[in-house]
Amino acid sequence: PTPITFTEKPVIGVAKAAGATTDNNNGTFTTTITLTLENLGNVVLSNVQVTDNLSAVFPDPAIFSVNNLTSPSLSTNIGFDGSTSTQLLDGTDTLGVGQTTTVSFDLTFNPNGLTGPFNNQAIADAQGPGGAATTDNSDNGSDPDANGNGNPNEAGENDPTPITFTEKPVIGVAKA
C-alpha cells in the first residue's frame, strides 16, 4: 500500500474584547470580557487552555473580582479568580479543525486612584495529536487572525486589550 502522510500543523488563536464599562456608582466598574478561540490548524487540538493573570493588570492598590465565567462549548474552571487561579478552563476539552468558540466573564474592578487604561492579554495553549504544542497571545478584539492567513502570531495580531473607564469626579460643598 502507498502511505499517505501529512504534516501536522496545530495552531490556536485567541482574541480578547472588553465590553462597555459600567460605572456602579460606588467606586467600582464592571465590564464583560469575551475571549474568542479558534483552531486555525489542520488537526484537532486537545488540552485547550486559556490563562489570564489579572493581578498583573490591576496592581495595588486596585482590586478586582470575576463572576459568571461561561463558555458554550468548553469546560470552565470554577476556581478561576484571575489571581491565585489564572486558568479559565479545566484543560480537558478539544477544539475541532476550523472551530471557533468563546469564553466570557464579568470583571468588576476598583481602580483605587489608578487612572488606567488597564492593558490585558490572555494566553491560549493547546496540543496536536502528535504532541506538538501551540500557543498564542490574545489580540484586541474578536478575531484571533485579523488578516486571515492562518498565523495569529504576526505583528499587529497580539495587541493587548485596554480596559478603560470614564472618571466622573464630583465634589460638593455646603455652608450654613
Side-chain angles (χ1 to χ4, degrees):
T2 303
I4 300 172
T5 61
F6 74 100
T7 302
E8 179 179 310
K9 183 180 171 192
V11 180
I12 193 166
V14 62
K16 183 175 189 173
T21 302
T22 301
D23 185 341
N24 299 319
N25 294 315
N26 63 0
T28 68
F29 302 85
T30 301
T31 185
T32 298
I33 303 294
T34 302
L35 296 121
T36 303
L37 293 122
E38 184 175 4
N39 182 343
L40 298 162
N42 64 0
V43 291
V44 173
L45 299 175
S46 61
N47 304 321
V48 176
Q49 186 57 264
V50 180
T51 304
D52 198 351
N53 183 357
L54 296 169
S55 292
V57 178
F58 294 98
D60 284 338
I63 56 174
F64 66 90
S65 63
V66 296
N67 293 295
N68 304 320
L69 176 63
T70 61
S71 175
S73 59
L74 301 174
S75 303
T76 58
N77 172 11
I78 60 171
F80 170 71
D81 64 8
S83 179
T84 57
S85 179
T86 59
Q87 295 181 327
L88 282 82
L89 305 173
D90 71 10
T92 60
D93 293 302
T94 60
L95 196 60
V97 176
Q99 183 180 356
T100 300
T101 192
T102 59
V103 180
S104 64
F105 60 90
D106 294 332
L107 171 67
T108 299
F109 62 96
N110 184 334
N112 278 331
L114 300 177
T115 59
F118 299 99
N119 292 314
N120 181 236
Q121 270 189 306
I123 301 169
D125 295 292
Q127 191 173 24
T134 177
T135 188
D136 183 42
N137 291 334
S138 65
D139 191 28
N140 183 33
S142 59
D143 189 348
D145 182 28
N147 66 8
N149 70 351
N151 181 0
N153 285 310
E154 297 170 306
E157 292 183 325
N158 288 321
D159 300 318
T161 300
I163 300 170
T164 61
F165 64 98
T166 303
E167 292 183 82
K168 193 168 55 174
V170 178
I171 190 168
V173 66
K175 182 176 181 180

